[in-house]
């Protein structure tokens, strides 16, 4: 049985890395991939190791989280250090060392293995981790789904019911050639009824979080959220008159909130609760106060359907100018 070995920072993993791993997996019987990370890296090392375990199954992934020299000029004992690392992470004999880098030959020599080069001129995938970190949206097509989820920008349509959020979410997704994550609470209430307890709201939060996580991996640079978990906390205020602490502890927020004004008529669609002007005004007020209290970036969107679309698209372009370069 032949054993292969390769290492990298995978900061972040991209198409070139995955092609190298696929090449190596085919070339040998058993492959070990060493994910080398430092505590100071801009992307968490454990996260990158998790990504690699998902992206290259049937491969042994080893995570090295140590501040060790990355180039020979950084330390006079560079090669003895790395020879010891390889012995520790791969005690079995290594037959092949795979690499696209110039150090591959010497690394193979230190391991007592044969060097197998792969696409050193980057013709198959003209990209690098440095380029991705500098311009992730420009190199979007080279990123696998979990890495896209890391970089995707999220815009949440926020505010009371019957303010055109669902319609606007679909139109914004079309405008920006991406997808929208729908409101899980609507689906839940259509199936289980509109009477919601605190446990129902918890189920909605869990569904919304899972829906967003799935959508982030498939979005094109930008993800439009019809709602988010923070909005569910405000629904607890309106429906229950109290907010359970676990619903208030929102772990993640959108990059931008578009607060829908109540300057359009209320319409009943079978899953709505608060038709009166006083209730709508209170709902809008607590939405705005919540965004302000948490110092979250937001803009108010009002007017007719086309006006709201233009205001929302302009706000997104202002807040995320880097997306237009993609």
């Amino acid at each position: 049985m032949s054993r292969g070995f390769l290492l990298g920072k995978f900061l972040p993993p991209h198409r070139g890395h995955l092609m190298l791993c696929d090449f190596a997996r085919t070339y040998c019987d058993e492959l070990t991939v060493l994910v080398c990370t430092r505590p100071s890296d801009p992307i968490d090392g454990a996260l990158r190791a998790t990504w690699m375990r998902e992206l290259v199954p049937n491969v042994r992934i080893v995570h090295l989280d140590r501040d060790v020299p990355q180039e020979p000029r950084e330390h006079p004992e560079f090669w003895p250090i790395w020879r010891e690392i390889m012995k520790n992470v791969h005690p079995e004999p290594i037959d092949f060392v795979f690499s696209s880098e110039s150090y591959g030959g010497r690394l193979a020599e230190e391991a007592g293995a044969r060097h197998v080069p792969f696409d050193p001129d980057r013709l198959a995938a003209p990209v690098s981790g440095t380029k991705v970190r500098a311009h992730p949206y420009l190199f979007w097509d080279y990123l696998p789904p979990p890495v896209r989820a890391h970089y995707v920008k999220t815009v949440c349509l926020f505010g009371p019911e019957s303010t055109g959020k669902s319609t606007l979410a679909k139109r914004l997704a079309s405008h920006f050639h991406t997808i929208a994550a729908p409101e899980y609470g609507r689906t839940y209430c259509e199936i289980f009824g509109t009477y919601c307890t605190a446990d129902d709201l918890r189920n909605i939060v869990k569904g919304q979080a899972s829906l967003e996580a799935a959508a982030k991996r498939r979005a094109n640079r930008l993800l439009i959220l019809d709602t988010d978990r923070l909005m569910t906390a405000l629904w607890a205020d309106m429906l229950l008159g109290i907010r359970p602490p676990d619903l208030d502890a929102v772990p993640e927020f959108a990059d931008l909130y578009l607060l829908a004004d109540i300057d359009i008529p209320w319409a009943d669609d079978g899953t709505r609760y608060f038709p009166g002007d006083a209730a709508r005004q209170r709902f809008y007020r607590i939405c705005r106060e919540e965004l302000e209290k948490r110092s979250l970036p937001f803009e108010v969107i009002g007017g007719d359907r086309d006006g709201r679309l233009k205001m929302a698209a302009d706000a997104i372009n202002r807040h995320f100018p880097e997306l237009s370069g993609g």
Side-chain angles (χ1 to χ4, degrees):
M1 180 181 68
S2 61
R3 297 184 177 93
F5 178 85
L6 65 87
L7 58 77
K9 290 183 283 189
F10 307 102
L11 188 60
H14 54 67
R15 187 191 300 173
H17 293 134
L18 301 186
M19 291 183 67
L20 168 61
C21 291
D22 286 344
F23 171 82
R25 275 194 306 184
T26 304
Y27 199 100
C28 63
D29 298 316
E30 182 182 276
L31 178 64
T32 296
V33 175
L34 181 64
V35 181
C36 306
T37 74
R38 284 171 155 174
S40 60
D41 286 342
I43 303 176
D44 179 69
L47 177 62
R48 281 140 58 198
T50 298
W51 286 343
M52 290 301 292
R53 291 187 181 99
E54 174 187 347
L55 294 169
V56 283
N58 303 319
V59 165
R60 181 169 65 174
I61 301 293
V62 180
H63 180 203
L64 177 69
D65 186 16
R66 287 172 50 193
D67 197 359
V68 295
Q70 304 295 296
E71 298 180 21
R73 60 183 173 82
E74 293 182 9
H75 198 287
E77 298 296 310
F78 176 84
W79 287 113
I81 289 172
W82 277 98
R83 184 166 59 245
E84 187 64 24
I85 288 173
M86 285 190 290
K87 285 182 180 179
N88 289 334
V89 302
H90 198 300
E92 309 90 348
I94 298 174
D95 299 295
F96 307 110
V97 169
F98 303 92
S99 174
S100 299
E101 306 291 344
S102 58
Y103 61 69
R106 178 62 186 272
L107 190 67
E109 181 181 328
E110 296 293 336
R114 181 159 70 86
H115 179 220
V116 182
F118 172 78
D119 194 24
D121 296 325
R122 306 298 197 276
L123 298 178
V127 67
S128 69
T130 301
K131 290 180 178 179
V132 170
R133 292 193 302 277
H135 304 287
Y137 309 106
L138 186 62
F139 294 95
W140 197 254
D141 290 344
Y142 291 92
L143 304 184
V147 181
R148 289 185 177 189
H150 176 77
Y151 283 109
V152 72
K153 296 294 185 181
T154 52
V155 175
C156 179
L157 301 181
F158 204 74
E161 60 184 354
S162 192
T163 49
K165 297 189 299 295
S166 297
T167 298
L168 181 57
K170 295 175 185 176
R171 297 186 75 190
L172 282 172
S174 176
H175 179 84
F176 286 100
H177 306 289
T178 186
I179 62 174
E183 181 183 7
Y184 187 78
R186 177 186 295 273
T187 301
Y188 187 93
C189 290
E190 287 175 347
I191 294 174
F192 299 109
T194 56
Y195 176 78
C196 287
T197 65
D199 283 340
D200 289 317
L201 294 179
R202 292 185 180 99
N203 291 335
I204 289 171
V205 163
K206 186 174 182 179
Q208 190 68 39
S210 299
L211 196 158
E212 290 175 20
K216 278 184 176 181
R217 298 163 70 95
R218 291 157 180 82
N220 178 23
R221 301 173 176 86
L222 177 71
L223 175 62
I224 308 298
L225 305 175
D226 192 345
T227 188
D228 73 344
R229 284 165 279 182
L230 178 59
M231 195 67 227
T232 306
L234 299 187
W235 272 104
D237 291 348
M238 294 295 296
L239 292 174
L240 308 178
I242 188 172
R243 187 185 307 186
D246 59 320
L247 292 181
D248 186 61
V250 180
E252 183 179 0
F253 300 101
D255 296 300
L256 174 65
Y257 286 85
L258 300 179
L259 176 58
D261 205 343
I262 53 174
D263 57 349
I264 57 175
W266 187 88
D268 189 5
D269 68 354
T271 61
R272 289 177 175 161
Y273 296 82
F274 306 108
D277 289 343
R280 293 190 85 198
Q281 290 169 4
R282 174 173 177 261
F283 206 165
Y284 176 83
R285 184 180 69 255
I286 67 172
C287 287
R288 180 162 191 148
E289 289 173 350
E290 190 75 19
L291 295 172
E292 292 173 341
K293 180 183 73 174
R294 295 181 185 259
S295 299
L296 297 172
F298 76 94
E299 294 201 20
V300 177
I301 304 299
D304 61 16
R305 286 181 51 174
D306 290 340
R308 287 175 186 245
L309 176 61
K310 185 179 187 308
M311 289 181 69
D314 288 347
I316 291 169
N317 287 328
R318 282 196 307 274
H319 280 264
F320 310 117
E322 65 273 22
L323 298 181
S324 61

